[in-house]
Amino acid sequence: MKTYIGRQPIFNRKGNTFAYELLYRSCDVNNVATFDDSTKATARIIANLIHNLGVSNIIGQKMGFVNVDESILFSDAILLLPKESFWFEILESTVVSLALLERIKHLKALGYCFLLDDFNCTEAMMKTYEPFFPYIDIIKVDILAIGVANLPSALSKLE
């Protein structure tokens, strides 16, 4: 069985790669992610990193960003990845709850880092995720959803 992981570079302000977002890929022909369950896709990435490919072979000395939802966050699967090398992107489809907030607080206390993925800065999204902000290291804003013209006002909500 062949193993595929998409590796998208994440650049810093100077244009240097400082991390790779690791993405599930189902085949090498069309480089797409075909899956019905984001939890299974993330679990496959974690399993393949540990058992088949090796962390250093994929990210080297860079950071790895892995998409997670509430199922992965409540499992111990993320504990298999070294916290010094991986940050976890909380998907916008994640079901937010008080229990999830407590879990993220616990994982943060253990040294894990978190991002919010595809954040559109709407009032609803701001209200939903505001309790999580103290435990979030990076917010990846969704420029396509916000629009370049609306970006300054959207970003001002995060200050």
Side-chain angles (χ1 to χ4, degrees):
M1 183 173 132
K2 292 186 178 182
T3 301
Y4 302 97
I5 293 179
R7 187 178 79 160
Q8 178 179 330
I10 306 294
F11 302 103
N12 63 18
R13 290 180 187 193
K14 295 179 180 178
N16 299 319
T17 301
F18 79 94
Y20 293 104
E21 182 172 357
L22 303 179
L23 304 160
Y24 173 78
R25 292 294 179 257
S26 53
C27 66
D28 64 348
V29 176
N30 55 8
N31 192 24
V32 297
T34 305
F35 59 89
D36 296 323
D37 185 333
S38 63
T39 301
K40 287 182 182 176
T42 299
R44 286 184 182 153
I45 288 172
I46 293 171
N48 284 325
L49 281 170
I50 293 168
H51 298 296
N52 298 329
L53 301 171
V55 170
S56 63
N57 289 330
I58 299 299
I59 64 171
Q61 299 301 309
K62 310 288 187 210
M63 298 300 297
F65 291 0
V66 177
N67 292 322
V68 295
D69 62 10
E70 70 279 1
S71 296
I72 291 292
L73 286 166
F74 282 118
S75 79
D76 287 337
I78 64 172
L79 301 176
L80 298 172
L81 295 174
K83 59 187 165 205
E84 301 79 19
S85 301
F86 287 92
W87 289 19
F88 299 100
E89 291 191 45
I90 301 170
L91 295 169
E92 67 280 5
S93 59
T94 300
V95 177
V96 174
S97 66
L98 183 56
L100 181 63
L101 177 60
E102 292 301 319
R103 176 68 172 168
I104 289 173
K105 282 182 188 180
H106 172 71
L107 292 169
K108 186 73 176 169
L110 294 176
Y112 289 90
C113 295
F114 297 94
L115 301 88
L116 289 177
D117 194 27
D118 291 337
F119 202 80
N120 64 22
C121 298
T122 61
E123 293 302 320
M125 191 170 244
M126 294 290 293
K127 184 178 179 180
T128 299
Y129 286 99
E130 190 171 22
F132 292 77
F133 287 172
Y135 311 100
I136 301 299
D137 299 281
I138 295 175
I139 297 175
K140 290 174 65 180
V141 296
D142 188 344
I143 296 173
L144 293 176
I146 294 169
V148 174
N150 300 322
L151 194 56
S153 64
L155 292 177
S156 70
K157 296 176 185 179
L158 297 172
E159 295 177 342

